[in-house]
Amino acid sequence: MSPQQHVDRHLEPLSQPRNFRRRHNSWSSSSRHPNQATPKKTGLKNGQGKTKDDECFGDDVEELPDTDFDFEGNLALFDKAAVFEEIDTHERRCGPRARGVPSDRPTRYRHDENILESEPTVYRRIAVPHPANREFCTDSGLVVPSVSYELHKKLLSAAERHGLTLERRLEVTGVCASQMALTLLGGPNRLNPKNVHQRPLVAVLCGPHVKGAQGISCGRHLANHDVQVILFLPNFVKMLESITTELALFSKTQGQQVSSLKDLPGSPVDLVINCLDCPENAFLRDQPWYKAAVAWANENRAPVLSVDPPARALDCGVDAKWSLALGLPLALGEHAGRVYLCDIGLPQQVFQEVGISYHSPFGCKFVIPLHPA
Amino acid sequence: MSPQQHVDRHLEPLSQPRNFRRRHNSWSSSSRHPNQATPKKTGLKNGQGKTKDDECFGDDVEELPDTDFDFEGNLALFDKAAVFEEIDTHERRCGPRARGVPSDRPTRYRHDENILESEPTVYRRIAVPHPANREFCTDSGLVVPSVSYELHKKLLSAAERHGLTLERRLEVTGVCASQMALTLLGGPNRLNPKNVHQRPLVAVLCGPHVKGAQGISCGRHLANHDVQVILFLPNFVKMLESITTELALFSKTQGQQVSSLKDLPGSPVDLVINCLDCPENAFLRDQPWYKAAVAWANENRAPVLSVDPPARALDCGVDAKWSLALGLPLALGEHAGRVYLCDIGLPQQVFQEVGISYHSPFGCKFVIPLHPA
């Protein structure tokens, strides 16, 4: 059982529609043996104290008789010294396996032997100033520390200075968040020319800020891919320029924009994308539309993907099943659900400029799952 | 054998390094049975007149004895009328299978029955004015017509007018082309924290035009993902603004920029990304740096991915193994290799504005393989 599937079972609310349960999640398929490379400590924490039997046999495990295996007694039967001596003798005799003493090395290598001395793998390749109290790790065991909201903001300003403008970042975020949403919706099984009558329905909830603009960009890319999108954005007299631009582009799709909660569907949608919260516009949370949007999302019973959510849980917020963090994660808590990290295209030197020693944890992907470390 | 693999076998030059041969290509894995949904006509053309035996047994098929099966004789033995009558009788007796006559319909459906009348699948969902002489189809059989260079340009101008700026398109193209390149380089097998000594080496060849800027964007995203990138761009006194911006961003990565061909590696690289050609700057082809770059690419023996190549083969150009077309394909010929299509985020109404009736062929992906139709 992979860490994802495990976390999945624990965080899955009972209220979800059945077709969202045992879905294969291709975002975590890049590693076939995700735990192999994970440091042991992490593996244990992921398991949250559950035993292997628990994972394998589910809830029926309580019925098994309590006959513990005597590990210590069994270990005492094992003559370590003798076994190691046997291994040593064997290695000395069979040349190719003798390592460490250069003169013993064979002059020819077999086709399955590595002639390079492999260096130990470094799992801690990102270092942040003032490390926060939360760390994550990737499927391959790389450690990804969380950053404070202030440092994250500083990072984005540095990116902006070097030409990685908000417009660019909105576009990458839209592409990557929609790629993740398309997978969560069922990917090729759902979006298939043979079942046009089954177009998935997604509600995108946006606040009137940059985080909301990210949601509009994501909504546009989803609508471009044949998903039925209903975009909720409250009416404001003066809108941010980035919101206006994204809205103009969204209006060229078949997606629908609404500014009143009563225009959102009453029956469960397939996915809610939550872009309501922005730490800098905390006053918005007191407004009636915000409270109504949160109430709608909680009543709708659809699974929620939060894009770029704030670190702290809000008493009045929407609980997410999945969260997508951008660049580096904040110290996201339980309310964020399963955390994914999105590559928004920041080059290494941009990280350096704000004091972060950075080495990409993404491998060949643009969105990767993170696990609590 | 899937259409990809088939095309692969036929287009594969002998000169390629062995590790690029039978690679599993996840870009075409969205459909398990790609030919099932393909109209029969298309399927035949894909096979280019080859029989099933040909595909299955390869070149040895000529040695089989020439004993043709007598289809017509066998058909004559078959009493169609009797069989249809038997089917009709059976359907009338077993209610659930009787369709068409409403009163015959059962009031209860079994769990594996579809209560919706399924409409016939439409495979031709994109219509262009003045259809060109070339058509493609997707894995699921959707027909994708090619467009002229002029119409393609008109389409991008319309996108620009609606706010889908060059900057945005450069970013999406960079993300999607680098996602494709990362897959071609071996994906998770190659980019893995355990084999840091095996970082893939990619040469990106760019001309001093917008197509070159796309290459620089792709190079930056590859460098962000730990790929060793060497970017070739000839020296020009005055550069396009889009080139200058992309270069500034690229310079913040660990990628290396060179303006002289002699600084490119002499030994084979893992992949060459070709962004040298632009139909509007045809005079560049006569310049010494262009000829030298083409000669270097052909001598290097690395497989070539062309991003947004022109429709006609150039006598002096680089032959690609793969080509990535943007939005809608041009009438790409043999020199383009296997054709892939990239979703650069154009909304449906932008297509309509230039007279293209459009319905996304992408399903849940941003890059899909196209096959000759």
Side-chain angles (χ1 to χ4, degrees):
Chain A
M1 196 182 240
S2 80
Q4 279 75 46
Q5 288 170 299
H6 190 86
V7 175
D8 202 11
R9 219 182 59 189
H10 286 262
L11 294 178
E12 203 132 34
L14 288 169
S15 58
Q16 261 142 38
R18 265 206 104 67
N19 58 337
F20 269 91
R21 301 204 67 170
R22 307 175 172 275
R23 173 167 297 147
H24 170 71
N25 186 340
S26 75
W27 294 103
S28 56
S29 66
S30 63
S31 163
R32 281 200 188 168
H33 311 288
N35 261 337
Q36 254 187 359
T38 314
K40 210 148 193 178
K41 217 170 158 188
T42 311
L44 276 172
K45 279 195 184 162
N46 272 351
Q48 290 165 345
K50 284 227 165 194
T51 65
K52 266 203 168 165
D53 284 336
D54 249 336
E55 292 183 2
C56 202
F57 303 108
D59 298 326
D60 296 337
V61 76
E62 280 81 20
E63 291 165 27
L64 292 174
D66 191 9
T67 50
D68 278 346
F69 181 69
D70 181 10
F71 282 100
E72 283 185 60
N74 194 55
L75 259 177
L77 302 171
F78 178 60
D79 184 359
K80 261 206 280 192
V83 173
F84 274 113
E85 192 164 280
E86 196 185 315
I87 294 172
D88 277 350
T89 317
H90 177 83
E91 287 204 341
R92 233 171 288 131
R93 211 176 299 142
C94 313
R97 293 198 163 259
R99 288 271 157 80
V101 191
S103 59
D104 279 2
R105 258 187 223 159
T107 46
R108 283 163 173 249
Y109 291 92
R110 282 178 21 188
H111 70 281
D112 58 350
E113 282 190 300
N114 187 1
I115 60 162
L116 297 172
E117 285 290 314
S118 38
E119 286 168 33
T121 313
V122 180
Y123 289 105
R124 195 173 278 281
R125 308 195 299 181
I126 307 178
V128 297
H130 328 294
N133 48 6
R134 189 117 209 250
E135 284 190 338
F136 297 90
C137 72
T138 68
D139 274 353
S140 48
L142 295 173
V143 178
V144 180
S146 67
V147 292
S148 65
Y149 181 70
E150 289 68 35
L151 184 57
H152 199 266
K153 218 178 129 185
K154 225 169 125 187
L155 180 66
L156 296 184
S157 309
E160 184 88 32
R161 265 201 309 284
H162 288 296
L164 211 74
T165 56
L166 176 59
E167 193 183 358
R168 269 176 201 267
R169 274 150 34 218
L170 283 173
E171 198 67 12
V172 183
T173 307
V175 168
C176 293
S178 64
Q179 284 180 336
M180 181 173 176
L182 287 165
T183 304
L184 296 174
L185 287 167
N189 302 321
R190 191 71 188 272
L191 289 147
N192 182 313
K194 287 193 181 169
N195 51 2
V196 278
H197 59 282
Q198 278 190 9
R199 282 175 66 197
L201 175 59
V202 172
V204 186
L205 309 179
C206 300
H209 36 57
V210 170
K211 310 229 170 195
Q214 290 171 346
I216 307 172
S217 171
C218 175
R220 168 169 52 96
H221 285 288
L222 286 176
N224 279 350
H225 283 250
D226 241 3
V227 171
Q228 281 187 71
V229 176
I230 302 191
L231 179 81
F232 166 77
L233 181 74
N235 255 333
F236 274 74
V237 182
K238 203 174 176 313
M239 287 279 194
L240 278 180
E241 199 194 320
S242 56
I243 294 255
T244 321
T245 319
E246 293 303 324
L247 277 184
L249 279 168
F250 181 79
S251 73
K252 300 292 158 197
T253 69
Q254 297 217 300
Q256 190 191 344
Q257 189 199 333
V258 301
S259 56
S260 166
L261 262 310
K262 67 176 193 319
D263 295 328
L264 284 175
S267 51
V269 297
D270 290 288
L271 180 68
V272 171
I273 296 181
N274 173 24
C275 301
L276 288 172
D277 295 312
C278 180
E280 281 166 55
N281 310 51
F283 63 91
L284 293 176
R285 272 174 235 147
D286 299 326
Q287 305 212 357
W289 63 261
Y290 179 91
K291 289 178 182 168
V294 170
W296 177 86
N298 287 333
E299 270 161 34
N300 190 272
R301 307 166 91 91
V304 177
L305 164 64
S306 279
V307 177
D308 195 14
R312 267 160 304 176
L314 311 169
D315 290 339
C316 53
V318 184
D319 271 354
K321 184 169 184 195
W322 309 277
S323 282
L324 186 62
L326 309 180
L328 275 180
L330 305 180
L332 296 168
E334 283 281 306
H335 69 290
R338 289 162 59 182
V339 180
Y340 287 77
L341 187 64
C342 174
D343 180 1
I344 50 169
L346 309 181
Q348 206 175 29
Q349 288 180 34
V350 170
F351 286 95
Q352 274 171 12
E353 211 164 283
V354 297
I356 300 172
S357 151
Y358 179 84
H359 195 115
S360 164
F362 288 98
C364 65
K365 304 252 179 180
F366 274 73
V367 175
I368 53 170
L370 294 182
H371 316 291
Chain B
M1 196 184 240
S2 80
Q4 280 76 45
Q5 288 171 301
H6 189 84
V7 176
D8 201 11
R9 219 182 58 188
H10 285 264
L11 292 178
E12 203 133 34
L14 288 169
S15 58
Q16 263 143 37
R18 263 206 106 68
N19 58 338
F20 269 89
R21 301 202 68 171
R22 309 176 171 272
R23 172 167 297 146
H24 170 71
N25 187 341
S26 74
W27 295 103
S28 56
S29 66
S30 63
S31 162
R32 282 201 188 166
H33 310 289
N35 262 337
Q36 252 186 1
T38 313
K40 212 147 191 181
K41 219 173 160 187
T42 311
L44 276 172
K45 280 197 184 162
N46 272 350
Q48 289 163 345
K50 285 224 164 194
T51 65
K52 267 203 168 164
D53 283 337
D54 250 336
E55 289 183 3
C56 203
F57 303 108
D59 298 325
D60 296 337
V61 75
E62 281 82 17
E63 291 166 27
L64 293 175
D66 192 9
T67 50
D68 278 345
F69 181 69
D70 182 9
F71 284 102
E72 285 186 58
N74 194 53
L75 258 176
L77 302 171
F78 178 60
D79 185 359
K80 262 205 277 193
V83 173
F84 276 112
E85 194 163 279
E86 196 184 315
I87 293 172
D88 277 348
T89 317
H90 178 84
E91 287 203 341
R92 234 171 287 131
R93 210 178 301 143
C94 315
R97 295 201 160 258
R99 288 271 157 80
V101 191
S103 59
D104 280 359
R105 261 190 217 156
T107 46
R108 285 162 172 249
Y109 290 93
R110 281 180 21 185
H111 69 280
D112 58 349
E113 281 191 300
N114 187 4
I115 61 163
L116 299 170
E117 285 289 316
S118 41
E119 286 169 33
T121 312
V122 180
Y123 290 104
R124 196 173 278 280
R125 307 196 298 181
I126 306 178
V128 297
H130 327 294
N133 48 7
R134 188 116 209 248
E135 282 189 339
F136 297 91
C137 73
T138 69
D139 274 354
S140 47
L142 295 173
V143 178
V144 179
S146 67
V147 292
S148 65
Y149 180 72
E150 290 66 36
L151 185 56
H152 199 265
K153 218 178 127 185
K154 223 170 129 186
L155 180 65
L156 296 185
S157 309
E160 185 86 34
R161 265 202 308 285
H162 288 297
L164 211 75
T165 56
L166 176 59
E167 194 184 356
R168 271 177 201 266
R169 277 156 24 225
L170 283 174
E171 198 67 12
V172 183
T173 308
V175 167
C176 293
S178 65
Q179 284 179 337
M180 180 172 176
L182 287 165
T183 305
L184 295 174
L185 287 168
N189 301 321
R190 191 71 188 272
L191 290 147
N192 182 314
K194 288 194 182 170
N195 51 3
V196 277
H197 59 283
Q198 279 190 9
R199 283 175 65 197
L201 175 60
V202 172
V204 186
L205 309 179
C206 300
H209 36 57
V210 170
K211 310 229 169 193
Q214 291 171 347
I216 308 174
S217 171
C218 175
R220 167 167 54 94
H221 285 287
L222 285 177
N224 279 349
H225 284 250
D226 241 2
V227 171
Q228 282 187 68
V229 177
I230 302 190
L231 179 81
F232 166 77
L233 182 74
N235 255 334
F236 274 74
V237 182
K238 203 174 176 314
M239 287 278 194
L240 277 181
E241 198 193 320
S242 56
I243 294 255
T244 320
T245 319
E246 294 303 325
L247 276 184
L249 279 169
F250 180 79
S251 73
K252 300 293 158 198
T253 68
Q254 298 216 299
Q256 191 192 342
Q257 189 199 331
V258 301
S259 56
S260 166
L261 263 310
K262 69 177 192 317
D263 296 327
L264 284 176
S267 51
V269 296
D270 290 289
L271 181 69
V272 170
I273 296 180
N274 173 24
C275 301
L276 288 172
D277 296 311
C278 180
E280 282 168 55
N281 309 52
F283 62 92
L284 293 177
R285 271 174 235 146
D286 298 326
Q287 305 213 357
W289 63 261
Y290 179 91
K291 290 179 181 168
V294 171
W296 178 87
N298 286 334
E299 270 161 34
N300 191 271
R301 306 167 90 91
V304 176
L305 164 64
S306 280
V307 177
D308 195 14
R312 269 160 303 174
L314 311 169
D315 290 337
C316 53
V318 183
D319 270 355
K321 183 167 185 194
W322 309 277
S323 282
L324 186 63
L326 308 179
L328 275 180
L330 304 181
L332 296 169
E334 284 280 306
H335 69 291
R338 289 161 60 182
V339 180
Y340 287 77
L341 187 64
C342 174
D343 179 2
I344 49 168
L346 309 180
Q348 203 174 31
Q349 287 179 35
V350 170
F351 286 95
Q352 273 171 13
E353 211 163 283
V354 296
I356 299 172
S357 152
Y358 179 83
H359 194 114
S360 165
F362 288 97
C364 64
K365 304 250 178 179
F366 274 73
V367 175
I368 53 170
L370 294 182
H371 315 292

